[in-house]
Amino acid sequence: MPDTNLILDAIAREMHTGVLALDKDGRALYANPFLLNSFPIRGGALGLPVGAIIKNEALGATIDGFIKSRGGASEEIEINDSGRFFSARIVPLAGEADFSILVFLRDITEEKRVETIKKDFVANVSHELRTPLASIKGYSETLLDGGMDEPETLREFLRVIDRHATRMSRLIDDLLILSRLESHQMSIVPAPVDIKELVASTAAGFGKQSMDKGITITAAIPDDLPRAAGDRDRLEQVMVNLLDNAIKYTPPGGSVSITAALAADGCVTVDVADTGIGIPAEDMPRIFERFYRVDKARSRELGGTGLGLAIVKHIINAHNGRVWVESVPGKGSTFSISLKTWG
Ligand SMILES: Nc1ncnc2c1ncn2[C@@H]1O[C@H](COP(=O)(O)OP(=O)(O)O)[C@@H](O)[C@H]1O
Ligand SMILES: [Mg+2]
């Protein structure tokens, strides 16, 4: 039979929850390594009052209450300690002579971070949907209030309404793609992908858009380029998003060129280079974030959702690939992706 004390000792030592045992006067009898790592105290915690170990008023008050009443129901409080968050469960162990208190501390910093991201996301989505909706409402009200009688106004306002409705539906499409990617409903099924064919067919889909704007698209991809390992439909989505941006953010008369090569690391690299407005250095680290745009008004004006690059990043990450950008403001940008070869 193994010694239960040894086992209990090992549990307290190895667990990723802080454990602090206090005597009847609230002084530390025991602190496990997780607690001491989270709240380091030179010379150890033994014999110290709880306030000298964890500086938190609510915790101190709760423990004082338990000491006075020699018991009570366990309580849970949240502790914010220089940027980290803990959930503390305080459990009084009733007993005449040997009254003591146990404190369990769980690090919930990561949970909090995810919670904040979710809240921000919901706030962003609501805002993004409200803006076009407010315009649709405003224009239709004006039409109903008599604006309809002038054919010119009617046509112009309907066009605006149509444009905002299109943007809303594009936003919802992008949100659905992101959410399916994130919930892994849209799984990546790797297969050999012919990059030359993929690029040619995606670029063809932008023929009208680029011609209307006076932008030339060229693709130069070697015939003997090895096939990439990937999910063709998802990679097409990546190319669509990159080409859409390249054309949108390049003034008339400019050009977009797509090249691909087998890199020194054995991966296939695809570059989408434009001669557009470029991206300021300070915005570069953030452009792959959801809803981040260098110029919100311009992006909206061009029908953007601010989710295109977030989707690109997600898909490429799911391929264990890499995506990066180089840009010179006023000169142009090059977005690159790197994928493993098939076989
Ligand atoms: N080729 C590009 N040239 C200049 N800026 C770009 C380019 N691609 C992306 N950006 C910047 O990154 C932002 C995010 O891109 P994206 O997620 O596709 O959103 P959207 O195109 O809907 O605005 C854009 O708003 C723009 O500021
Ligand atoms: Mg985009």
Side-chain angles (χ1 to χ4, degrees):
M1 266 294 272
D3 182 344
T4 19
N5 276 335
L6 279 181
I7 293 176
L8 289 176
D9 210 52
I11 291 173
R13 201 173 55 231
E14 301 298 332
M15 69 200 286
H16 283 251
T17 297
V19 181
L20 179 65
L22 304 170
D23 68 11
K24 61 177 178 22
D25 303 316
R27 291 181 181 273
L29 290 168
Y30 171 78
N32 77 340
F34 187 90
L35 189 120
L36 292 174
N37 283 335
S38 305
F39 296 90
I41 295 187
R42 208 176 299 160
L46 286 193
L48 292 181
V50 69
I53 305 169
I54 305 167
K55 288 166 192 66
N56 182 279
E57 267 180 39
L59 179 72
T62 307
I63 288 171
D64 282 347
F66 285 151
I67 293 173
K68 283 206 186 79
S69 58
R70 281 276 182 270
S74 58
E75 278 194 40
E76 196 132 0
I77 60 172
E78 207 172 285
I79 294 175
N80 177 353
D81 183 78
S82 45
R84 287 172 318 155
F85 293 90
F86 294 90
S87 163
R89 199 156 73 86
I90 309 128
V91 185
L93 292 181
E96 272 308 309
D98 51 359
F99 171 76
S100 54
I101 297 169
L102 291 179
V103 181
F104 297 97
L105 275 185
R106 203 160 54 81
D107 190 333
I108 53 167
T109 313
E110 181 60 18
E111 275 167 50
K112 282 269 176 197
R113 199 182 64 84
V114 172
E115 205 178 292
T116 312
I117 291 177
K118 278 191 186 148
K119 274 191 201 143
D120 289 354
F121 184 61
V122 171
N124 271 324
V125 169
S126 315
H127 179 74
E128 294 292 336
L129 285 171
R130 201 169 50 196
T131 317
L133 197 55
S135 299
I136 291 174
K137 198 153 169 46
Y139 281 95
S140 27
E141 274 168 8
T142 313
L143 288 180
L144 289 170
D145 285 348
M148 237 174 5
D149 307 335
E150 280 174 53
E152 265 311 294
T153 316
L154 179 60
R155 184 174 297 275
E156 189 196 324
F157 281 19
L158 283 178
R159 217 172 270 137
V160 177
I161 291 172
D162 182 60
R163 202 179 68 228
H164 286 294
T166 306
R167 197 159 75 80
M168 277 181 88
S169 93
R170 201 174 295 149
L171 179 61
I172 290 168
D173 288 345
D174 278 358
L175 284 170
L176 283 175
I177 292 173
L178 256 188
S179 117
R180 286 198 203 113
L181 282 167
E182 287 183 350
S183 62
H184 302 287
Q185 282 174 40
M186 216 183 217
S187 52
I188 302 293
V189 186
V193 177
D194 180 348
I195 297 289
K196 195 179 174 79
E197 179 276 325
L198 173 73
V199 166
S201 79
T202 321
F206 282 92
K208 183 172 170 1
Q209 196 177 322
S210 56
M211 201 128 83
D212 287 352
K213 210 177 160 184
I215 290 173
T216 50
I217 305 184
T218 53
I221 293 169
D223 287 324
D224 61 352
L225 184 74
R227 288 174 304 172
D231 184 315
R232 194 192 177 285
D233 289 352
R234 302 285 83 78
L235 292 177
E236 182 172 332
Q237 176 95 59
V238 167
M239 289 308 300
V240 165
N241 290 2
L242 293 182
L243 279 176
D244 180 60
N245 284 346
I247 295 168
K248 267 193 335 199
Y249 299 110
T250 298
S255 64
V256 175
S257 79
I258 311 158
T259 51
L262 184 62
D265 62 1
C267 292
V268 171
T269 323
V270 185
D271 295 328
V272 178
D274 63 54
T275 59
I277 59 173
I279 302 160
E282 67 264 28
D283 296 297
M284 292 278 268
R286 300 198 58 191
I287 56 165
F288 289 95
E289 288 175 22
R290 301 157 171 183
F291 295 121
Y292 190 85
R293 285 163 282 192
V294 174
D295 180 339
K296 273 205 158 61
R298 187 203 301 250
S299 159
R300 288 208 185 102
E301 180 72 27
L302 296 168
T305 62
L307 294 174
L309 289 180
I311 291 173
V312 165
K313 176 122 193 156
H314 225 291
I315 293 175
I316 297 300
N317 281 351
H319 278 79
N320 291 321
R322 285 195 307 127
V323 52
W324 67 97
V325 56
E326 278 165 27
S327 185
V328 181
K331 288 241 179 314
S333 315
T334 301
F335 282 82
S336 306
I337 58 168
S338 151
L339 296 163
K340 299 237 155 46
T341 55
W342 177 259

